[in-house]
């Protein structure tokens, strides 16, 4: 009887190691799920979204393993973390200020770029539109050189008609004499003059998710800046297909007859549509000049399939290169993910990247400072 109890106790002791091994395998699967096209395996993007929760879980497992001296479990966790290190670097960069590249002595050799989905400055929310915009105040206080906006304008509405930003119009014109307010919502506020062009194929019709497009819309817009240094630099602003988690509630959005009301169905379709958006945007990037900053609301996370397609092998992530720690830009529904991104390539280098908090949008802005004094 004593031997039986001893064997039973020994078998139960392996349960922790087995659980940790399962968590480790799931962490690796979540980290690299973005390599799979959602149209090939619809669960892949959901695995990607689970990466950070799985990382928290494996960190707790590691803590428990160290406390209880379960060394096999510790080794399993370490192997999993090493295997996912490239993805961890994107989600959780640890960039020391001591190792930061030197700042150019000439301020004209730097440019500070912000990307921000401003939710049309809450134009469709009477209680917020009736008071000065906290979102615009955040932008003006942050004082970037260039602001790339998504959902910057409601269809067919001029900025002078948006009550919440009317109090700031004089300040906007003083700080940013060069602006573009397009009805498609891809807008810019800039200290520098630029030429602009829409990118991608024009869209006149509703998407398969029923997104209401009252006007011709484009996937992306390019701005070729005329910098004091003479440096050639193109900025590309974009916004990809939304998840539509609150679909049908907004008075400007109606569900198409063929769309099921469940969030799961809407998410599955949005993953597929963003995959198409990503392929189109990648083609735009391939045809763009070498010195390029690509900013926008990707509506997808780091290391997702969409992110991997857009980033390709030539773009760098400003947050991974110059940010620090985990950060999120979406702030609703408890989905605290970084779905807004600043990518770049060419003879430029990210010096700093950080996320700002505040405003009244469902997104927070990202801002990055670039050294443009890199030799070609």
């Amino acid at each position: 009887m004593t031997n039986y109890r001893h064997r039973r106790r020994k078998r139960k002791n392996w349960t922790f190691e087995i659980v940790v091994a399962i968590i480790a395998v799931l962490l690796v699967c979540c980290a690299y799920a973005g390599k799979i096209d959602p149209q090939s395996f619809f669960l892949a993007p959901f695995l990607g979204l689970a990466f950070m929760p799985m990382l928290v879980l494996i960190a707790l497992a590691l803590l428990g393993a160290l406390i209880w001296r379960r060394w096999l479990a510790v080794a399993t966790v370490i192997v999993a973390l090493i295997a996912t290190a490239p993805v961890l670097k994107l989600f959780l960069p640890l960039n020391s200020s001591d190792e930061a590249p030197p700042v150019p002595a000439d301020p004209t050799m730097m440019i500070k770029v912000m990307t921000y989905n401003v939710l049309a400055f809450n134009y469709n929310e009477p209680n917020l539109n009736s008071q000065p915009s906290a979102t615009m105040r955040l932008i003006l206080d942050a004082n970037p050189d260039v602001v790339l906006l998504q959902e910057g304008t409601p269809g067919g509405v001029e900025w002078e008609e948006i009550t919440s930003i009317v109090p700031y119009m004089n300040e906007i014109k003083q700080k940013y004499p060069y602006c573009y307010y397009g009805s498609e919502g891809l807008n810019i506020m800039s200290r520098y003059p630029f030429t602009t062009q829409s990118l991608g194929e024009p869209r006149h019709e509703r998407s398969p998710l029923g997104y209401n497009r009252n006007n011709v819309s484009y996937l992306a817009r390019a701005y070729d800046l005329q910098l004091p240094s003479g440096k050639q630099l193109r900025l590309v602003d974009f916004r990809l297909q939304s998840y539509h988690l609150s679909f049908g509630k907004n008075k400007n959005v109606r569900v198409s007859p063929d769309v099921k009301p469940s969030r799961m169905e809407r998410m599955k379709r949005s993953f597929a549509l963003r995959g198409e958006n990503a392929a189109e945007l990648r083609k735009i990037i391939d045809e763009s000049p070498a010195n390029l900053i690509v900013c926008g609301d990707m509506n997808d996370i780091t290391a997702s399939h969409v992110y991997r397609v857009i980033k390709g092998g030539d773009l760098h992530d400003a947050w991974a290169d110059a940010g620090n720690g985990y950060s999120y830009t979406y702030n609703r529904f408890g989905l605290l993910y970084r779905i807004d991104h600043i990518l770049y390539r060419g003879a430029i280098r990210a010096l700093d990247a950080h996320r700002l908090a505040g405003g009244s949008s469902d997104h927070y802005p990202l801002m990055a400072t670039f050294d443009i004094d890199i030799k070609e």
Side-chain angles (χ1 to χ4, degrees):
M1 179 67 70
T2 301
N3 290 337
Y4 171 75
R5 287 178 177 173
H6 176 72
R7 289 195 301 272
R8 185 179 179 186
R9 202 160 46 242
K10 187 174 181 180
R11 283 198 300 272
K12 289 178 68 176
N13 284 343
W14 288 103
T15 302
F16 182 74
E17 282 75 10
I18 293 171
V19 170
V20 171
I22 293 172
I23 295 173
V25 170
L26 287 174
L27 179 71
V28 175
C29 291
C30 292
Y32 296 103
K35 289 182 174 289
I36 303 172
D37 189 332
Q39 298 195 55
S40 302
F41 180 51
F42 80 94
L43 287 178
F46 293 97
L47 285 172
L49 290 172
F51 176 72
M52 286 306 298
M54 293 304 302
L55 186 62
V56 172
L57 196 57
I58 205 166
L60 293 174
L62 177 60
L63 179 62
L66 290 171
I67 292 173
W68 298 320
R69 299 184 179 182
R70 309 297 281 265
W71 306 122
L72 180 58
V74 170
T76 301
V77 172
I78 291 174
V79 170
L81 293 177
I82 292 173
T84 58
V87 178
L88 280 172
K89 165 65 176 173
L90 296 173
F91 276 91
L92 288 164
L94 299 175
N95 295 300
S96 169
S97 58
D98 296 333
E99 300 174 354
V103 175
D106 185 353
T108 65
M109 293 300 176
M110 292 190 299
I111 184 169
K112 188 179 294 184
V113 178
M114 174 187 283
T115 181
Y116 198 179
N117 183 320
V118 294
L119 197 62
F121 297 103
N122 307 101
Y123 177 77
N124 295 310
E125 301 173 70
N127 60 320
L128 291 175
N129 188 40
S130 61
Q131 53 189 296
S133 170
T135 296
M136 181 56 78
R137 186 69 265 163
L138 177 62
I139 293 172
L140 295 171
D141 289 344
N143 202 32
D145 296 310
V146 181
V147 189
L148 294 177
L149 305 175
Q150 304 87 44
E151 296 192 59
T153 48
V157 176
E158 299 291 332
W159 272 29
E160 287 77 4
E161 301 175 61
I162 302 176
T163 305
S164 65
I165 63 174
V166 166
Y168 302 115
M169 288 307 298
N170 287 336
E171 187 176 355
I172 293 169
K173 291 175 181 177
Q174 289 175 3
K175 283 191 172 183
Y176 301 102
Y178 306 100
C179 297
Y180 172 82
Y181 310 135
S183 61
E184 62 201 8
L186 298 176
N187 308 146
I188 186 173
M189 301 160 58
S190 174
R191 288 199 169 96
Y192 308 114
F194 57 82
T195 58
T196 182
Q197 60 177 306
S198 54
L199 302 174
E201 295 298 321
R203 297 146 194 246
H204 303 269
E205 73 286 345
R206 293 154 67 95
S207 82
L209 267 174
Y211 190 83
N212 187 22
R213 299 185 184 278
N214 296 320
N215 302 288
V216 174
S217 180
Y218 290 88
L219 174 71
R221 177 163 286 277
Y223 304 95
D224 292 304
L225 298 187
Q226 299 171 24
L227 298 173
S229 63
K231 184 89 168 188
Q232 291 185 339
L233 179 63
R234 169 170 288 190
L235 305 182
V236 171
D237 187 16
F238 69 89
R239 178 177 179 268
L240 304 192
Q241 177 69 53
S242 170
Y243 285 96
H244 288 305
L245 294 176
S246 58
F247 206 64
K249 295 181 180 179
N250 189 309
K251 65 181 181 180
N252 293 322
V253 178
R254 299 290 180 266
V255 178
S256 294
D258 63 327
V259 176
K260 296 179 181 179
S262 72
R263 284 186 177 178
M264 178 64 72
E265 176 66 19
R266 296 198 299 271
M267 288 183 73
K268 284 168 60 177
R269 293 196 179 198
S270 70
F271 283 127
L273 289 168
R274 275 197 302 279
E276 297 174 5
N277 291 164
E280 187 177 352
L281 184 56
R282 184 62 236 188
K283 183 179 178 183
I284 289 168
I285 292 168
D286 290 338
E287 297 171 350
S288 293
N291 296 328
L292 180 69
I293 297 176
V294 181
C295 300
D297 177 6
M298 197 177 291
N299 269 311
D300 226 326
I301 61 170
T302 302
S304 65
H305 179 72
V306 167
Y307 175 92
R308 288 175 181 273
V309 169
I310 294 171
K311 185 172 182 286
D314 58 336
L315 296 182
H316 302 276
D317 188 319
W319 185 263
D321 290 351
N324 197 13
Y326 183 73
S327 186
Y328 60 90
T329 58
Y330 189 69
N331 57 45
R332 301 283 171 89
F333 303 106
L335 300 175
L336 307 181
Y337 291 106
R338 180 162 61 94
I339 61 174
D340 302 85
H341 304 273
I342 302 178
L343 308 174
Y344 69 99
R345 74 172 181 213
I348 57 177
R349 176 175 56 193
L351 297 172
D352 174 72
H354 60 281
R355 188 215 69 183
L356 288 78
S360 52
S361 172
D362 55 350
H363 289 243
Y364 292 137
L366 276 183
M367 189 160 66
T369 303
F370 292 93
D371 177 0
I372 59 175
D373 193 25
I374 307 300
K375 302 306 178 185
E376 302 286 351

